[in-house]
Each structure stands twice: as C-alpha cells, then as structure tokens.
Amino acid sequence: MKTAEADSTLDLLCRSVATMLDELPIESVFTIRDFRAMVLPLAEPCELVDPVLEVRAKRLLLSILRTLNDNPHLSYERLLQVIDREIPFHGVSLFQHIIDGSKLAVVYRNGPVVDLLDRFEFGNGMGFSAWVAGHGAQVLLTNIHPNPEHSKSYVRSFISIALPHGDRIVGVLNLSHTVRDAFDASDLQLLSTIAPPLGAILTRIHSHRALSGTLRPDDLTGLLSERGIVRRIREEFHHARRHDGTLSVGVLELFELDAIREEVGVPEAERALAEAGRVIRRHLGEANGAGRRRNNEFILVLPGIPPEATREIVQRCAHAIARISVDRGPGLRASGGTAELRRDDESPVALIERATDAARMARIHALVVSV
C-alpha cells in the first residue's frame, strides 16, 4: 500500500504527465514543445518523498518519455523493455480491458503468462489479475515456495499492480522472477508512483492499435476481427519461435447457419452467431484469443497449450455451440480442427491453413474435431 508520500509533489508530477499525454491526439507526433512540457518539471525537486524513490521515478519516467518521443506509436514491448532496465524481471504479462466494460485479456507477455489463481473467475475476468484490477490493488510477493506439482512453480517473486487512467482501472502489470527477493517494497512503490503515466500510455497504445483496426472487435460476436486475430496469431507465432515455445490454433466452422437464415430469418441467424461468440469466450482462458473469420468461421489461438488440451477446448466449444437454441429452425452445428506449431512452419499462415483443412475434414467425415 502507498504511504504518507501519496500526496507528494512526485505523485502530482506523475498525474500531470498522464494528463498531458491524454491531451495529445493519438495520431500526432510529439513536438519539441510537447516533450519539453512533460520533461522540464522532472528537473524540479520534489517534496515529501524519499530521494532515492524520486531519482528512480524520474529516471524511469524520463526513459519512457524519451522512448515515446522517438516513436509516438509506442509498442507494449518497447514500454516493458524500458521498465526492465529499472526493475529487472524474468517474466511479464500485461493485461488490459480491450474495450470498455470487457474482461481483462492478455495484450502482451514475455515468457509464460504471469498470473496466480488463474482458475478463479471474478466479475471482470479470471485469475489474480482480475482481482487486482477490481480492487485497484498493489501486491508484492517476495518468496513464493515452489510446488513441483503446480504449473506456476517457476515464480518465486511476483509484483502485480493495477494501472489507472482517470477514475478507472485500464490494466494490470504483472512481473515475475525465478529467484526469491528479486523485488522489494521500493520496486512496488516505484511502479505505484508512475502507474498513472503507465495507464495513460497503455490507453494510448491501445487506442492507436484500435484505430489501425488490429483491435477493433467484430460487431456481432464481440471477438476480434479477422485482421485482429491474424495479427494475434502472428505475434504468438514469433513469440513461440523466439522462446522455443508451443502454439496451437483451432478453427471452428459453423454450418446450418445459411439454413437458419433462410428458414427463420436474418435476425435469428445473427442472434445464434452472437451466442456462438459468447460460448467461445466462456470456454477460452484469458491468455487465449479468438476471432471471427468470414461469416461462419472462428479462429482460436492458444499459446502454450498442449495439443490434447487444445482439442478438448475446441471440442467443448463445438458441443456448446450445438446446444444453442434456435427458434423454429435447425440447430447450429460446428466442426473443429486444430494444428500445432511445427519446426518447419515458415509463417503463421501455414498453421491457420492446417487447422482450417482439419475442420473441413471433420465436417466431411462427420467428426466433431480433427487434427
């Protein structure tokens, strides 16, 4: 928790920088005047604050602003690289509300998804990060005892902090390390102090990506658009290549949709399609993603998920879609296909094509899922 230094001039400075970032148009580049307006106050001494914290906070904030000045359309990766230089970490996961009111979703990670209690569901998402966002919390764990039977046993030190933007929480930053006491209370206080500018920059990155169409959701299902899901698969493909990780892709092909449209009408067909999107969201973990392609296909991206588990997820989605009720018409059905990243895959397109071919073979042979 924050101390009595909460009302220090350093906190006021950070909130002021966040406000100035908000006032800059998303598509604009920084002018010298913009940059100086944010940087000049960093030279002023701060009151009611620990001098070491002041030095670290100003150094980190200046590095972030310089990076943003060099590239106004800053990426999540470059932002976290700057933080890593001040607070070295082993793994990082950045969660964000993709659209207002949506559940938290992973927008960037390096290494396995860093979260605790990932099987527990809260109102705004699943896992410890959803709890942190819901409470605007800051958490520091310095000595997590490893459990050989637990999938998260590689985490020994952990920081989780909610990132505000104005009067709401827009995301959660989780840092982890494989050694105990890798972080301390001063690291947590540093992140807490610069959280407002981080929240503003997070919103800025998201807004730019949304304007470019990569995060704009499909209007009917609320899932990613085709462009968005393809970009997500491309990012996970290169991440798996860099870190020798695993990646699976699933494709669900819906049929009887045309029959519903012809026999019952377009509104009922669209209602069934929207419900299929909700079904898929319920069956996917927050670390995974899904998008709609064409009229009747859904693509699922599942980083770090074994092939057997991927098939089970796609199969559960297909069975749940088949249970969607349709007024006076044939019910929806779905066939599914999965594909696993291979060493000889030269691009993510090959992965999508194999999963698509498998889904079509499943339909031909009256199977639920094929590989």
Side-chain angles (χ1 to χ4, degrees), residues 69-81:
N69 186 49
D70 292 339
N71 180 9
H73 305 318
L74 181 65
S75 66
Y76 296 118
E77 184 173 16
R78 292 188 67 186
L79 172 64
L80 291 164
Q81 285 173 348

Side-chain angles (χ1 to χ4, degrees), residues 6 27 32 184 227 275 278 331 350 357:
E27 292 295 335
I32 294 177
D184 58 27
R227 183 178 178 183
E275 181 61 27
R278 285 190 287 271
D357 290 342

Side-chain angles (χ1 to χ4, degrees), residues 44-65:
E44 298 295 325
C46 293
E47 301 174 358
L48 303 176
V49 66
D50 175 65
V52 176
L53 172 64
E54 179 181 352
V55 169
R56 294 186 71 195
K58 287 184 174 181
R59 181 171 60 211
L60 180 53
L61 193 54
L62 181 60
S63 296
I64 291 172
L65 292 175

Side-chain angles (χ1 to χ4, degrees), residues 14 22 30 39 42 60 78 113 168 199 202 219 226 228 237 242 255 285 308 313:
C14 288
D22 286 339
F30 276 18
V39 170
L42 296 179
L60 180 53
R78 292 188 67 186
V113 175
R168 61 192 179 94
L202 197 66
D219 292 335
E226 180 174 356
F237 177 89
R242 287 196 304 270
F255 44 105
E308 299 80 7
I313 291 171

Side-chain angles (χ1 to χ4, degrees), residues 46-319:
C46 293
E47 301 174 358
L48 303 176
V49 66
D50 175 65
V52 176
L53 172 64
E54 179 181 352
V55 169
R56 294 186 71 195
K58 287 184 174 181
R59 181 171 60 211
L60 180 53
L61 193 54
L62 181 60
S63 296
I64 291 172
L65 292 175
R66 280 177 173 164
T67 304
L68 187 57
N69 186 49
D70 292 339
N71 180 9
H73 305 318
L74 181 65
S75 66
Y76 296 118
E77 184 173 16
R78 292 188 67 186
L79 172 64
L80 291 164
Q81 285 173 348
V82 175
I83 294 175
D84 187 32
R85 290 196 290 268
E86 184 65 41
I87 306 176
F89 53 78
H90 181 262
V92 56
S93 291
L94 186 60
F95 296 77
Q96 191 171 2
H97 293 287
I98 299 298
I99 53 177
D100 289 344
S102 67
K103 293 187 177 183
L104 280 178
V106 177
V107 293
Y108 179 81
R109 66 186 179 91
N110 190 347
V113 175
V114 181
D115 200 6
L116 303 176
L117 307 177
D118 55 358
R119 295 182 182 273
F120 290 85
E121 184 168 3
F122 299 91
N124 60 342
M126 294 186 67
F128 192 73
S129 301
W131 180 88
V132 169
H135 291 78
Q138 308 156 23
V139 176
L140 169 65
L141 302 175
T142 59
N143 186 18
I144 301 174
H145 295 285
N147 181 350
E149 298 180 356
H150 197 279
S151 62
K152 301 296 187 294
S153 59
Y154 59 87
V155 175
R156 296 298 306 276
S157 302
F158 179 77
I159 282 182
S160 183
I161 186 164
L163 302 177
H165 184 238
D167 58 355
R168 61 192 179 94
I169 300 298
V170 294
V172 173
L173 174 63
N174 290 348
L175 305 180
S176 72
H177 211 292
T178 54
V179 300
R180 58 175 292 182
D181 298 319
F183 312 123
D184 58 27
S186 66
D187 296 322
L188 183 67
Q189 190 174 15
L190 172 61
L191 288 174
S192 173
T193 300
I194 68 163
L198 288 180
I201 293 172
L202 197 66
T203 302
R204 190 178 184 86
I205 295 173
H206 167 265
S207 297
H208 174 68
R209 296 182 76 189
L211 283 174
S212 68
T214 58
L215 287 179
R216 188 175 295 123
D218 175 64
D219 292 335
L220 193 58
T221 64
L223 301 175
L224 289 174
S225 64
E226 180 174 356
R227 183 178 178 183
I229 190 61
V230 170
R231 173 165 179 156
R232 173 70 190 277
I233 293 174
R234 187 182 302 116
E235 291 172 348
E236 294 294 349
F237 177 89
H238 293 300
H239 182 274
R241 278 282 186 258
R242 287 196 304 270
H243 299 281
D244 196 25
T246 59
L247 174 63
S248 296
V249 168
V251 169
L252 284 162
E253 183 179 359
L254 275 58
F255 44 105
E256 304 295 355
L257 197 61
D258 289 339
I260 295 171
R261 188 178 291 108
E262 292 173 3
E263 296 180 24
V264 186
V266 173
E268 183 64 12
E270 291 186 345
R271 186 199 64 78
L273 195 57
E275 181 61 27
R278 285 190 287 271
V279 162
I280 291 171
R281 288 201 303 273
R282 284 199 300 269
H283 284 81
L284 285 183
E286 297 302 322
N288 308 314
R292 181 185 173 200
R293 181 174 66 166
R294 304 189 183 98
N295 183 52
N296 65 332
E297 287 184 1
F298 295 99
I299 303 178
L300 286 60
V301 54
L302 300 107
I305 304 296
E308 299 80 7
T310 298
R311 286 194 291 273
E312 290 178 5
I313 291 171
V314 173
Q315 188 173 49
R316 287 200 301 269
C317 288
H319 284 310

Side-chain angles (χ1 to χ4, degrees), residues 21-43:
L21 284 168
D22 286 339
E23 292 173 351
L24 291 175
I26 296 299
E27 292 295 335
S28 74
V29 296
F30 276 18
T31 65
I32 294 177
R33 182 178 180 180
D34 294 331
F35 187 60
R36 290 184 65 188
M38 286 184 284
V39 170
L40 282 178
L42 296 179

